[in-house]
Amino acid sequence: DSGVTQTPKHLITATGQRVTLRCSPRSGDLSVYWYQQSLDQGLQFLIQYYNGEERAKGNILERFSAQQFPDLHSELNLSSLELGDSALYFCASSLGGSGRSGELFFGEGSRLTVL
Amino acid sequence: AQSVAQPEDQVNVAEGNPLTVKCTYSVSGNPYLFWYVQYPNRGLQFLLKYITGDNLVKGSYGFEAEFNKSQTSFHLKKPSALVSDSALYFCAVSLRSNDYKLSFGAGTTVTVRA
């Protein structure tokens, strides 16, 4: 158990809909990362927050947004969903950046299926 | 810009034989390098990291990796593979100047046959 909790584990929805994925980081970790894993794109970095502030941005679509709240949990919002958004979405946390802490702790992922 | 390449989609070895998973990186700066492993239906787990110092780093489950600056490589190795090592392995890189963005390779599926 990594200590990172993601909900929901599975989600099935229709095209055009909006969903919210939630992540609770490991106790004491200030950084939260979001990744998307799909068969055709592999593991893609989406966005990273540190102590409530956005620190790095990757291949995140404009239809997607994220935030980190004062209690350090994070939410990833996906809107106007398309079939291609079907993927496994991972949250990870670390104390600081990857170099300072040395490793990221990953949750079990939220599997999104868009029909 | 930063990226890693894992040239092999799959690696197949017999149990007890040496295992090598290849990784090369491309960064404009000094890198931090990592290996992670993903078992089916699970999140990624940290194996080892290179930050600075000794080019040979040892990690979990008997794995080690060697940082080679001239070849921009960070290959993962295990002297004697186990069936339980069968999994998806990811190499990753971040920059010392911005270690908040960790970029992963495409992954290499390792199958160890009994």
Side-chain angles (χ1 to χ4, degrees):
Chain A
D1 182 7
S2 67
V4 178
T5 303
Q6 289 187 249
T7 57
K9 292 190 185 303
H10 301 275
L11 189 56
I12 301 174
T13 189
T15 55
Q17 294 298 304
R18 173 190 171 95
V19 298
T20 297
L21 309 180
R22 181 187 170 100
C23 170
S24 293
R26 211 170 55 120
S27 178
D29 284 353
L30 299 177
S31 286
V32 169
Y33 305 73
W34 285 99
Y35 286 87
Q36 179 194 59
Q37 187 178 36
S38 61
L39 285 176
D40 55 343
Q41 296 286 332
L43 193 61
Q44 296 285 320
F45 170 72
L46 295 178
I47 198 164
Q48 187 261 336
Y49 284 84
Y50 175 78
N51 204 21
E53 294 186 4
E54 181 184 308
R55 278 297 178 94
K57 209 166 187 176
N59 302 321
I60 189 167
L61 300 172
E62 286 191 7
R63 299 183 286 109
F64 296 0
S65 65
Q67 55 184 324
Q68 186 180 28
F69 295 88
D71 67 352
L72 301 178
H73 90 272
S74 179
E75 293 181 354
L76 179 67
N77 300 297
L78 316 174
S79 62
S80 303
L81 286 169
E82 302 174 359
L83 295 178
D85 297 327
S86 296
L88 190 56
Y89 291 83
F90 283 110
C91 171
S93 74
S94 67
L95 178 61
S98 61
R100 295 185 186 88
S101 68
E103 62 181 288
L104 270 59
F105 295 87
F106 280 79
E108 297 287 298
S110 292
R111 183 169 295 281
L112 173 65
T113 302
V114 182
L115 301 176
Chain B
Q2 59 192 72
S3 65
V4 291
Q6 295 181 240
E8 300 161 317
D9 292 336
Q10 291 194 337
V11 169
N12 299 305
V13 298
E15 188 172 35
N17 282 1
L19 169 63
T20 298
V21 186
K22 296 180 180 177
C23 171
T24 58
Y25 65 90
S26 175
V27 298
S28 51
N30 293 312
Y32 292 141
L33 294 157
F34 305 83
W35 278 100
Y36 284 80
V37 60
Q38 184 181 25
Y39 298 100
N41 300 313
R42 303 297 299 274
L44 280 71
Q45 296 177 33
F46 171 81
L47 277 180
L48 53 79
K49 64 181 179 183
Y50 170 79
I51 302 296
T52 187
D54 194 347
N55 289 343
L56 183 65
V57 293
K58 295 185 183 297
S60 307
Y61 313 120
F63 284 95
E64 60 186 29
E66 185 167 12
F67 172 65
N68 188 318
K69 189 172 183 178
S70 63
Q71 297 185 3
T72 63
S73 67
F74 189 59
H75 302 330
L76 180 70
K77 298 181 180 182
K78 186 170 184 179
S80 178
L82 301 172
V83 172
S84 58
D85 293 327
S86 298
L88 181 58
Y89 290 80
F90 290 96
C91 183
V93 66
S94 65
L95 289 174
R96 294 185 193 186
S97 59
N98 178 9
D99 63 354
Y100 290 94
K101 181 180 178 182
L102 190 62
S103 300
F104 285 85
T108 299
T109 299
V110 170
T111 301
V112 182
R113 60 185 184 277

